[in-house]
Structures are given as structure tokens and as C-alpha cells.
Amino acid sequence: MERKKKEQTEWRGLIKLVDIIDMCLYLKSREWEIVEPEGDELIRARRDGTQITYRWDAAKKHIVCGRHEMALAYCYKIFYRDAWENNL
């Protein structure tokens, strides 16, 4: 009998704490509205009825996010941050 793998629902450490401001700027450039975070959240943004959050896990000292936030984090890393660093 084959076991189903548990679906991953959280990603940790994709965005570094020092990159939070740049991540906000990236989201704004992609037409996300940055709104005031609550509790342990570092970023909260809304666009077209969708809300995303990046939160701080103090125990593990990582930024934690879900599936949609993970996809945006990779877009930021590949198309925004790397392009910026390569042009320096």
C-alpha cells in the first residue's frame, strides 16, 4: 500500500530579513497594496481579492510563508534581486 506524502504548506527562509524592504518594493512594482501587518507578520499585501503574508518565526529565526508567497519570493529572487545585483 502506497502512502501519500504530506503536502508542504509552509516554506522557511526564502526571504532574508535584510531583504524585507526590497521585497515590499518588488510587491508594489507588481501592483500589490502593502497594508499594515498584524502580530508576527512582517509583510501583508493585497491584490485582486488575494491577501499574502510573510511572518516571523521567532523560535526558528526564519521568515515563514505559504505557497503563493513562496512563488512570489522566487520571482523576487530570480527576476528582481538578481537582476539588480548583476547591474551593479
Side-chain angles (χ1 to χ4, degrees):
M1 187 168 153
E2 188 176 325
R3 287 185 168 189
K4 278 188 161 181
K5 290 184 178 180
K6 187 177 177 182
E7 185 176 315
Q8 184 173 356
T9 58
E10 288 187 338
W11 281 260
R12 298 177 178 277
L14 294 177
I15 303 293
K16 295 179 182 178
L17 196 54
V18 298
D19 291 332
I20 285 295
I21 293 173
D22 287 339
M23 183 66 185
C24 284
L25 293 173
Y26 172 73
L27 291 172
K28 285 183 70 84
S29 75
R30 306 302 301 163
E31 299 178 4
W32 286 87
E33 175 192 4
I34 306 299
V35 296
E36 186 174 341
E38 299 175 2
D40 62 352
E41 296 172 348
L42 297 173
I43 300 174
R44 177 185 285 248
R46 292 188 186 123
R47 181 176 128 181
D48 300 330
T50 302
Q51 180 171 285
I52 60 169
T53 59
Y54 293 88
R55 62 183 177 81
W56 179 250
D57 183 344
K60 298 192 179 187
K61 296 183 175 37
H62 284 291
I63 295 174
V64 181
C65 63
R67 182 177 308 275
H68 293 102
E69 294 87 346
M70 176 267 303
L72 286 166
Y74 278 119
C75 288
Y76 160 73
K77 291 174 96 166
I78 293 169
F79 300 113
Y80 190 78
R81 189 190 70 195
D82 289 346
W84 175 259
E85 288 175 352
N86 290 336
N87 286 327
L88 291 179

